[in-house]
Structure formats: C-alpha cells, structure tokens
Amino acid sequence: MKTRAIRVHEAGGPEVLKTDEIELKEPGEGEAIVRHTAIGVNLIDIYHRTATAGQYALPRPATLGVEAAGVVEAIGAGVDNVTVGDRVAYWMLPGAYSAKRVAPAWRLVKIPDGVSDQAAAAVMLKGGTAFYLLHDIWKVKKGDNVLVHTAAGGVGRLMSQWAKHLGATVIGTVGSPEKVKAAQAAGCAHVVVLKDQDFEAEARKFTGGAGVDVVYDSIGADTFDKSLGSIRPLGMLVSVGQASGPVPPLDISKLAQKGSIFLSKPTLATFVAKREGIVRLAEGVFAGLKEGAITAEIGMTAPLAEVADVHRALEGRKTTGSIVLIP
C-alpha cells in the first residue's frame, strides 16, 4: 500500500520539504493504521526540519509532524484500546505529515463526541503542553503573576487562557501590534509588543517592582536574560522553546544573583513516555475544553501540499492561534 508523505532528506529551509510516495506496511502487533483527517503544525516541526544534530535531529529521510487526528482503518494483533472506525488523535510521534501512517496503538487516544478532528489536531499537543506546564512544572494558582511569551501563538494563547482560568494575572508578549488584540482575547491583562517595548521593565512596572512568579519562555536566545530579570526571588523561569535560537551556555550563579531563581527545561516527551501520561494529559485537555478553560482556535488551515508556505509563515511569526493541515 502506498501513501503520500512530506519528508526531508536533508536539513534546511522550507524548500527541503518534499512530497514522497512511500510504502505503508500492514500493522503489526500493537499497531494501527490511521487515516489522517487533520494534522497539527508546531514549532518543533521546524526544529526537526532544520536540526543537523542534537535533541531535535531525526534520522533522514524523515516524515515531519508530530500531531494529528484521524480514523483507525486497521489494527494489528493485541490492540484493545482502539478499534476500526474510531476517531483518534496522537501527539509527540513523528510522521504526521502524511495521508496515512502506522502508529503504535498505545499512543492513540479516542476523540470524544463534541470535539472535531480539526480541533483535536489543533489543541492536543499545545493543550497537553499547557496542561503540564501550568499544573506540574509550576502549579499556577489564584493570585499568581505569570508572564507568557508569544501569547498570541498556539501554545501561548492556550496557556494565557488556562492561567487566567486558574486565577492568575497574565502578562503576555507578542511580536507585533497586530497581535495585541489576540493576546488580550486570550486573557492577558497586559500585553507587551517585543519590538517596541522592554518586557522586563513592563513586567516589573506591572507588578509594582516585585517581578512575576513565573515566566514561560518559548523564544529562547533573544529573551532569556530579560526573562530572568522579570522574575521575583524564588520564582521560576521555564524554558519551553527556542524560536530565536538556543540559549547560550549559562553560568548558574546568575540564578543566585537574580534571587535564587528556579530554572526548568521540560519536554512534553517526558510526560507522554508512558500510556498513563498520555491518558492523563488527554483527559486534562478534553476537560479544559469542556469547562471552557481553553478553546481550540484555529488561525490557519491549508492543504498538506502547501506545508512549505505554512512553515514560512510560522517562522516569520505571521500566524496566530493553531495551524492545521488537511491531507
């Protein structure tokens, strides 16, 4: 059986994304074939496309994409958590940029009634990320002051919504004035335009000089030092991405100088390494949708064949909300 897949044979810009026809094997023990109906796009896809070594490098040729929703078309022996015809979603599993794929069945979760395939593809990875960052890394509570970078983006918007729902006051940063309203709509009490304002000074001013309790920094190199400077003593900096490039090596004495700051560099992969973690995060996301703590706002949809243009838009910080590709 053949299927279409978007693969990279070498690291590079969006131009290295190629449509290939690949062989799809029959599902083996513990596996299922999923026909994709909606594919989520995430910053990690860009890291996978450009990395030549290290944490984000994938063996070449590699089918990109780590998140999708679809329908189970076939199952192998020993699969008991899904059956043919089930609507399912998964995340943190490379190979999503394809019409169909073989997936380990234990990575699949059923999509509940009332949640569309596009919503699931748009929100599962980002929502799961928001869930563990807000509930496990720093337990956000009523009265906290939280700074969220890229607050109009996919993860940032969900984190802003959820943090406000938990009772926190959210300061959000955005890349351009056009994104201010989107961040405000997500629940940010104060929005800082990075190219026009000093977010460290704004965070200090907004908190009466005290500093915020926690910063969630998805930008990386360009914002790391000022993120540290925005935090109150005994607060936390959570480094969750590197859109502007990796953070240079750190002299950890800086953490002491800034007021005994905690630093975390978590990855979603750790939280979904086992079935129970996947189920916990999925249930948390679906509950968040049901309670209205978060919404699945899709800012862009595009055919899978146009993925290179989508990557250009994402890298250029020209998108808001989540991005979904349609096979």
Side-chain angles (χ1 to χ4, degrees):
M1 183 190 308
K2 300 284 188 179
T3 192
R4 288 177 296 108
I6 304 295
R7 302 200 298 176
V8 292
H9 295 258
E10 59 184 348
E15 70 279 358
V16 303
L17 294 163
K18 304 298 182 184
T19 301
D20 292 340
E21 189 176 77
I22 62 173
E23 191 68 31
L24 190 70
K25 67 182 182 68
E26 293 297 320
E29 184 170 0
E31 295 180 329
I33 290 180
V34 179
R35 173 176 55 81
H36 292 146
T37 55
I39 301 163
V41 177
N42 298 278
L43 279 172
I44 195 172
D45 302 350
I46 292 173
Y47 304 159
H48 284 161
R49 192 197 74 221
T50 57
T52 56
Q55 175 185 356
Y56 296 109
L58 298 176
R60 314 290 187 188
T63 303
L64 297 192
V66 297
E67 173 182 40
V71 178
V72 176
E73 285 200 337
I75 58 174
V79 174
D80 58 8
N81 63 301
V82 296
T83 190
V84 173
D86 282 347
R87 292 192 308 127
V88 296
Y90 66 85
W91 64 100
M92 291 308 294
L93 186 63
Y97 286 6
S98 58
K100 297 181 182 182
R101 70 162 311 156
V102 176
W106 69 272
R107 303 296 297 265
L108 306 176
V109 294
K110 294 180 184 179
I111 302 172
D113 292 342
V115 177
S116 70
D117 290 10
Q118 287 196 23
V123 81
M124 291 308 297
L125 186 147
K126 300 174 186 67
T129 299
F131 181 86
Y132 85 79
L133 290 174
L134 297 171
H135 293 81
D136 296 328
I137 302 301
W138 178 277
K139 296 182 186 296
V140 172
K141 61 187 182 301
K142 185 175 181 179
D144 280 354
N145 289 303
V146 175
L147 193 156
V148 177
H149 283 300
T150 61
V155 174
R157 186 186 63 83
L158 292 173
M159 290 190 66
S160 299
Q161 286 185 337
W162 221 329
K164 181 181 179 182
H165 181 79
L166 292 169
T169 298
V170 184
I171 302 168
T173 72
V174 295
S176 65
E178 293 77 20
K179 295 185 178 182
V180 170
K181 288 185 178 179
Q184 291 172 334
C188 293
H190 184 51
V191 182
V192 181
V193 180
L194 288 175
K195 68 177 184 179
D196 298 330
Q197 298 168 283
D198 182 335
F199 75 85
E200 179 183 358
E202 289 294 313
R204 288 284 176 181
K205 180 180 177 181
F206 189 80
T207 57
V212 299
D213 296 283
V214 58
V215 174
Y216 295 99
D217 191 337
S218 58
I219 298 177
D222 289 353
T223 52
F224 186 84
D225 285 342
K226 284 187 172 293
S227 289
L228 273 180
S230 304
I231 302 168
R232 67 161 173 81
L234 301 179
M236 178 178 281
L237 172 55
V238 187
S239 177
V240 294
Q242 51 186 45
S244 67
V247 175
L250 172 70
D251 176 357
I252 62 172
S253 64
K254 276 189 175 183
L255 304 178
Q257 294 163 7
K258 297 291 185 180
S260 302
I261 301 298
F262 294 90
L263 174 63
S264 179
K265 179 64 175 175
T267 67
L268 180 60
T270 304
F271 287 81
V272 296
K274 297 182 179 180
R275 174 70 183 173
E276 53 265 36
I278 290 173
V279 172
R280 175 175 176 266
L281 263 61
E283 289 178 346
V285 172
F286 291 139
L289 288 168
K290 183 178 180 180
E291 295 167 2
I294 56 173
T295 58
E297 179 182 323
I298 300 173
M300 174 189 292
T301 59
L304 177 58
E306 296 177 7
V307 63
D309 290 336
V310 170
H311 273 221
R312 291 185 185 98
L314 182 59
E315 285 181 292
R317 301 184 188 179
K318 296 177 181 178
T319 65
T320 59
S322 298
I323 304 170
V324 174
L325 300 171
I326 307 300

